[in-house]
Amino acid sequence: MMDAELFEIEQQQKAGLSAAKQARRQADLDAQLLANRIALLKQEEQKAWKKIQETKKRAGEIMALRARNEQKLKLEEELERRKAYELQKSRDLVNKQREKKRMEKHSLHESIYSQRKQSVAQCRSESRMLQQRKDMEREESVRKNVQKSSEIRTKELQLRQKAEEERRARLEKGRMEYEERVRQEEQERQRREALIAKMEREEMELIQKLQNTQMIQRSAYEELENALGTIAQPLRRSPRSAPSSQYRLTQ
């Protein structure tokens, strides 16, 4: 009868020890899973910082592109001013040449007048008609030049306006894309922070749970030790129970 009780106690001890080992292995597995999640969080944080650096780099590139566009616009405006200056200079030269020719023609007419007194009236009439025709041609030429210059300026102004509109559209598009990327990054950051907070709470819960399990385990060990101590005392008093000591468990 005593051997059967010892055998039953031995089986209970084995079951308790097996349960304790299983609990320990489960705790080890939980700790490894939490370590894996923490490592994954660190990797995600590194990725987030990498994206932030890429965003800053992109913003710098946009600012550099804007500076280059502004410099290009200044160069184009300077080129337009130079063209206008050269055009005005050419006009002044043409006007001087025309004035010189007019004076030369006037001197020639005066010489003819002095030489041909008999045909003064006819010469004057012909000279006036010739001068009128030339004046009309000159005025027409000037008008055409002015009109052509006006058309050129209008076309150039339209081209500049179009280029400016395209430049502003590109800048606005770049700004909107930049703001969208920043917004997405901010949303991702907030989501990551919420996930980290959740995992930290889960980690604390697991730690508390593990501590509770360890307390239960220690209590089970204490109960087992008490039970073993209680059983060992009557065994030492009875000679019949001596051969059964080989079944006692060591902790």
Side-chain angles (χ1 to χ4, degrees):
M1 184 66 178
M2 183 65 67
D3 292 340
E5 292 178 355
L6 289 175
F7 179 76
E8 182 178 358
I9 292 171
E10 180 182 1
Q11 293 298 319
Q12 292 176 355
Q13 291 174 350
K14 288 182 178 180
L17 182 60
S18 176
K21 289 182 178 180
Q22 181 64 27
R24 179 185 57 78
R25 286 194 293 269
Q26 183 63 40
D28 292 339
L29 178 60
D30 292 340
Q32 183 61 41
L33 291 175
L34 181 59
N36 293 339
R37 291 195 297 271
I38 292 173
L40 181 60
L41 285 174
K42 291 180 179 180
Q43 292 178 0
E44 292 298 327
E45 182 181 5
Q46 292 177 355
K47 291 180 180 179
W49 275 110
K50 183 178 180 181
K51 289 182 179 180
I52 291 171
Q53 293 174 354
E54 291 175 352
T55 302
K56 290 182 178 180
K57 180 180 178 182
R58 179 57 180 164
E61 291 175 352
I62 292 174
M63 294 301 295
L65 178 60
R66 180 182 297 173
R68 288 196 299 271
N69 290 336
E70 291 177 353
Q71 183 65 25
K72 182 179 179 182
L73 180 60
K74 290 180 180 180
L75 292 176
E76 290 176 353
E77 291 175 352
E78 180 64 22
L79 181 60
E80 294 299 326
R81 286 194 294 269
R82 291 182 180 178
K83 286 182 179 179
Y85 173 77
E86 294 295 333
L87 181 60
Q88 185 62 39
K89 187 177 180 181
S90 299
R91 288 175 182 172
D92 294 340
L93 180 60
V94 170
N95 291 332
K96 288 180 180 180
Q97 290 177 350
R98 288 175 180 172
E99 182 64 21
K100 182 179 179 181
K101 289 180 180 180
R102 192 183 68 79
M103 295 299 296
E104 291 175 352
K105 291 177 180 179
H106 181 70
S107 298
L108 179 59
H109 292 160
E110 290 294 331
S111 177
I112 294 173
Y113 173 79
S114 62
Q115 292 175 3
R116 300 180 180 181
K117 291 181 180 181
Q118 295 84 5
S119 57
V120 172
Q122 183 178 358
C123 289
R124 287 179 179 176
S125 177
E126 291 176 353
S127 296
R128 284 196 299 271
M129 291 177 64
L130 179 62
Q131 187 64 40
Q132 288 175 359
R133 185 169 62 251
K134 289 181 178 180
D135 291 339
M136 290 177 63
E137 291 175 355
R138 183 174 64 252
E139 291 174 357
E140 180 66 16
S141 178
V142 171
R143 187 187 65 80
K144 288 181 179 180
N145 290 334
V146 171
Q147 183 179 1
K148 185 177 181 180
S149 299
S150 177
E151 290 175 354
I152 292 174
R153 287 195 299 271
T154 300
K155 185 176 182 180
E156 291 173 347
L157 179 60
Q158 291 175 352
L159 291 176
R160 287 197 301 270
Q161 290 176 349
K162 183 178 179 180
E164 177 64 18
E165 290 175 355
E166 292 176 352
R167 183 185 69 83
R168 291 180 179 177
R170 289 194 299 269
L171 291 176
E172 181 63 17
K173 182 180 179 181
R175 184 187 65 80
M176 293 178 66
E177 291 177 352
Y178 167 74
E179 291 178 352
E180 178 63 19
R181 290 188 64 183
V182 170
R183 185 185 64 79
Q184 292 177 357
E185 292 294 339
E186 180 63 20
Q187 289 179 351
E188 183 66 18
R189 182 189 64 80
Q190 293 176 358
R191 190 181 72 82
R192 295 290 184 186
E193 290 180 352
L195 180 60
I196 290 172
K198 180 181 177 181
M199 293 191 70
E200 288 177 348
R201 291 193 299 271
E202 184 177 358
E203 179 184 10
M204 294 300 298
E205 291 174 359
L206 290 174
I207 291 172
Q208 184 63 40
K209 184 177 180 180
L210 178 59
Q211 291 176 349
N212 294 336
T213 302
Q214 291 174 346
M215 292 178 63
I216 294 172
Q217 183 180 13
R218 285 194 298 270
S219 177
Y221 281 144
E222 290 175 357
E223 290 178 1
L224 180 59
E225 289 175 355
N226 293 332
L228 290 174
T230 302
I231 293 172
Q233 291 177 0
L235 287 178
R236 284 194 295 267
R237 295 171 186 166
S238 175
R240 293 177 60 186
S241 62
S244 301
S245 62
Q246 57 182 337
Y247 296 105
R248 294 171 59 190
L249 294 179
T250 59
Q251 191 68 22

